[in-house]
Amino acid sequence: MTQSLDPYIIPPPFPDHTQLPESDGTFVKNFQEHPQSILLTDSIGPVLERIHPDGQYAIGQDCGIYWRETEPPEKGAEAPDWFYVPNVPPNFDGEIRRSYVLWREYASPLIALEFASGNGEEERDRTPLNRTAGGPREKPGKFWVYETIIKIPYYGIYEIHTGNLEVYNLDKGYDYQKLEPNDRGHYEISLLGVELGLWQGSYQNQTQLWLRWWDEQGNLLLTGTERAEVERQRADRAERSQQEAIPRLLGMGLTPEQVAEALNLTVEQVRKMS
């Protein structure tokens, strides 16, 4: 007598970023959060280009990090206001990322930042995942997820209204320990070779306290617009210096050709500036 065998039931593969929601349908952001994210991304760009000459890194701004499968799916995701993941492609399988799916990447962000509109209670929530059968299935706290599951080495919480900044670091990869600021009032993000702190100034028509990066020597990391302005000022100073030098050199008896060679100008420029 022959006995038929039931075919193996193969579970469906874990979904990827194209199969998961990229939004939970809420809008709870204030007007500072968008420029704040741009400011962080723009100014740290040259640092990341040096670290990743191959371009293998990704930056998320209020994008979901999926860390478990749930129903509905967005309950298994957290969306830091800003995060950086090293050594992953900026796109995934040639497509623009809709979210960051941990079970597809196997790589955690190096740093995540939250811009708290309130008192930071949600961002400090350490409520663990309830694994009890039949128990309530509330969403675990954001702090607990970052610390225990995703294991993000650096986690910063910036309370926009109070200007309070807290930065945590995974101690030996297990628990978050609150970092103390250095003498400059900055927090050292040693794995990235930068410091994080607060800067009072104007950006995109808003004057207030902003999260900004500094290098390890305490130099502010500039945005593209700021770098362009510095270069313009430097060029203006160089031109003024040349304009002052040309009459002196001509007065010493040098020919326009000699002055042009000395100042790395054309003869036409020398004659025009004199």
Side-chain angles (χ1 to χ4, degrees):
M1 178 178 180
T2 59
Q3 184 176 11
S4 63
L5 297 177
D6 293 331
Y8 290 108
I9 299 176
I10 301 176
F14 290 128
D16 62 22
H17 70 113
T18 65
Q19 301 165 306
L20 293 164
E22 57 187 304
S23 171
D24 63 1
T26 63
F27 53 96
V28 293
K29 304 303 176 185
N30 62 54
F31 275 63
Q32 186 189 16
E33 295 191 21
H34 178 61
Q36 174 65 88
S37 293
I38 297 173
L39 177 56
L40 290 168
T41 301
D42 186 3
S43 57
I44 205 170
V47 172
L48 298 183
E49 289 171 7
R50 289 196 299 270
I51 295 175
H52 306 285
D54 58 358
Q56 296 299 288
Y57 69 90
I59 288 177
Q61 299 175 10
D62 197 32
C63 298
I65 301 176
Y66 279 90
W67 59 277
R68 66 168 179 151
E69 281 198 287
T70 58
E71 185 56 47
E74 53 267 29
K75 284 192 174 182
E78 294 294 344
D81 290 310
W82 192 94
F83 64 94
Y84 150 70
V85 192
N87 305 317
V88 298
N91 296 331
F92 194 83
D93 290 339
E95 297 188 40
I96 296 174
R97 293 180 181 275
R98 296 176 55 185
S99 57
Y100 189 78
V101 185
L102 203 60
W103 58 74
R104 292 275 180 171
E105 307 275 2
Y106 305 107
S108 296
L110 186 144
I111 183 170
L113 301 173
E114 294 283 5
F115 316 142
S117 298
N119 61 7
E121 180 180 3
E122 177 186 349
E123 289 74 17
R124 298 185 185 90
D125 189 351
R126 299 172 183 256
T127 304
L129 176 66
N130 186 346
R131 296 185 174 89
T132 305
R137 305 300 295 176
E138 291 89 357
K139 189 175 181 180
K142 183 172 295 187
F143 193 104
W144 181 86
V145 172
Y146 294 165
E147 176 186 48
T148 308
I149 303 298
I150 305 179
K151 293 189 176 298
I152 303 174
Y154 294 96
Y155 175 36
I157 303 171
Y158 174 41
E159 296 176 21
I160 294 173
H161 294 305
T162 65
N164 180 56
L165 172 62
E166 295 177 3
V167 179
Y168 297 84
N169 178 226
L170 275 181
D171 182 39
K172 299 179 181 178
Y174 292 103
D175 302 307
Y176 274 143
Q177 298 297 318
K178 189 176 178 181
L179 294 179
E180 294 297 326
N182 61 19
D183 294 339
R184 291 186 283 268
H186 303 159
Y187 295 89
E188 297 175 4
I189 312 299
S190 56
L191 292 178
L192 195 49
V194 297
E195 298 177 356
L196 180 67
L198 296 174
W199 173 81
Q200 177 70 39
S202 181
Y203 182 71
Q204 293 198 358
N205 202 35
Q206 296 187 51
T207 301
Q208 53 201 22
L209 272 177
W210 301 92
L211 275 181
R212 294 210 57 171
W213 308 105
W214 284 259
D215 65 21
E216 293 179 308
Q217 288 72 49
N219 301 303
L220 183 67
L221 299 187
L222 304 180
T223 65
T225 300
E226 290 168 335
R227 292 193 296 272
E229 177 62 19
V230 168
E231 288 302 316
R232 188 184 70 80
Q233 295 287 347
R234 183 179 293 117
D236 287 347
R237 288 195 299 270
E239 183 176 355
R240 287 194 298 269
S241 177
Q242 289 173 332
Q243 288 175 333
E244 294 169 358
I246 287 173
R248 292 198 304 269
L249 294 174
L250 291 173
M252 293 168 56
L254 275 70
T255 65
E257 288 77 11
Q258 289 174 311
V259 173
E261 183 178 357
L263 298 179
N264 195 28
L265 298 171
T266 66
V267 174
E268 182 181 351
Q269 286 174 316
V270 169
R271 288 173 176 159
K272 182 178 179 180
M273 294 171 71
S274 62

